[in-house]
Amino acid sequence: MARVCLFFLVLCFVLYMAGMAESTVARHSKPTDFIQASCRATRYPALCVQCLSHYASAIKQSDRQLAQTALSVNLARVRSAAAYVAKMTKVRGIKGKEYQAVKDCIENMGDSMDRLSQSVRELGHMGQAVGQDFMWHMSNVQTWVSAALTDENTCLDGFDGHAMDGNVKAAVNRRVTNVAQVTSNALALVNRFASKHQATTALEKP
């Protein structure tokens, strides 16, 4: 009987210390710690942290909210970049090939905006979808974000070659390359959310 009592005392002490340790970690962790850890899964982690740190209080420890915020920030960046590229058509002295490349890029960026808008809506309307329903919604989001990244890279491809060198190419490349990196990061976080959800669901199955 004494051994049983001793066992339970030791067990209670271990559980108490574990709870204290977890509480201490929670008190000393910063709101951005979750974002920094999650951004390690992206190709451009510093840019990822820079884009999302401002929303740490809303994201908290939620992978879903992180993915949703990443897509929303991504969409805002693409809209801004698209407006910037559109202004390039009015640059004085723009050459014919540059003008056509800019017009094509505007179309590409418009397509990218449409796909990202769809992705934001789809993820936002998923609710508590599970199983095959969850994967169907996530597959749509992953497909659209991947297509948006392709659109942005297609814009950049239109300025390939030394014949396109100049201020217009440099300006567009700088702005769209940054947006493409943000899109790449958003896709990585969406994929991470999908994978973690699948893993959690698999563990919960009897």
Side-chain angles (χ1 to χ4, degrees), residues 110-178:
D111 290 341
S112 178
M113 276 193 291
D114 290 342
R115 300 183 205 280
L116 289 171
S117 295
Q118 287 177 299
S119 301
V120 169
R121 287 195 300 271
E122 187 83 355
L123 196 56
H125 293 159
M126 278 176 60
Q128 299 302 313
V130 295
Q132 291 300 314
D133 192 31
F134 172 87
M135 290 314 302
W136 182 78
H137 286 293
M138 285 308 301
S139 178
N140 287 339
V141 174
Q142 290 167 311
T143 298
W144 291 330
V145 180
S146 180
L149 182 57
T150 298
D151 290 328
E152 292 151 17
N153 285 325
T154 300
C155 162
L156 295 173
D157 289 343
F159 291 89
D160 273 352
H162 293 301
M164 301 295 289
D165 287 352
N167 292 333
V168 172
K169 175 180 177 176
V172 172
N173 274 1
R174 183 170 57 252
R175 197 64 176 264
V176 178
T177 295
N178 177 264

Side-chain angles (χ1 to χ4, degrees), residues 33-169:
D33 285 350
F34 174 71
I35 292 174
Q36 290 176 339
S38 302
C39 282
R40 293 191 193 111
T42 68
R43 191 170 181 181
Y44 309 98
L47 178 61
C48 176
V49 172
Q50 176 195 336
C51 289
L52 299 175
S53 289
H54 181 68
Y55 307 94
S57 58
I59 293 169
K60 295 184 173 63
Q61 304 283 318
S62 170
D63 291 302
R64 179 193 292 269
Q65 192 60 43
L66 179 68
Q68 183 79 49
T69 304
L71 288 176
S72 298
V73 170
N74 189 186
L75 177 57
R77 290 287 185 102
V78 172
R79 281 180 177 149
S80 176
Y84 178 82
V85 171
K87 292 177 181 177
M88 292 294 103
T89 59
K90 298 181 175 66
V91 170
R92 183 175 296 178
I94 188 171
K95 294 177 286 189
K97 288 184 178 179
E98 290 176 326
Y99 182 83
Q100 188 56 53
V102 168
K103 293 290 285 184
D104 290 342
C105 183
I106 292 170
E107 184 177 343
N108 297 143
M109 297 301 282
D111 290 341
S112 178
M113 276 193 291
D114 290 342
R115 300 183 205 280
L116 289 171
S117 295
Q118 287 177 299
S119 301
V120 169
R121 287 195 300 271
E122 187 83 355
L123 196 56
H125 293 159
M126 278 176 60
Q128 299 302 313
V130 295
Q132 291 300 314
D133 192 31
F134 172 87
M135 290 314 302
W136 182 78
H137 286 293
M138 285 308 301
S139 178
N140 287 339
V141 174
Q142 290 167 311
T143 298
W144 291 330
V145 180
S146 180
L149 182 57
T150 298
D151 290 328
E152 292 151 17
N153 285 325
T154 300
C155 162
L156 295 173
D157 289 343
F159 291 89
D160 273 352
H162 293 301
M164 301 295 289
D165 287 352
N167 292 333
V168 172
K169 175 180 177 176

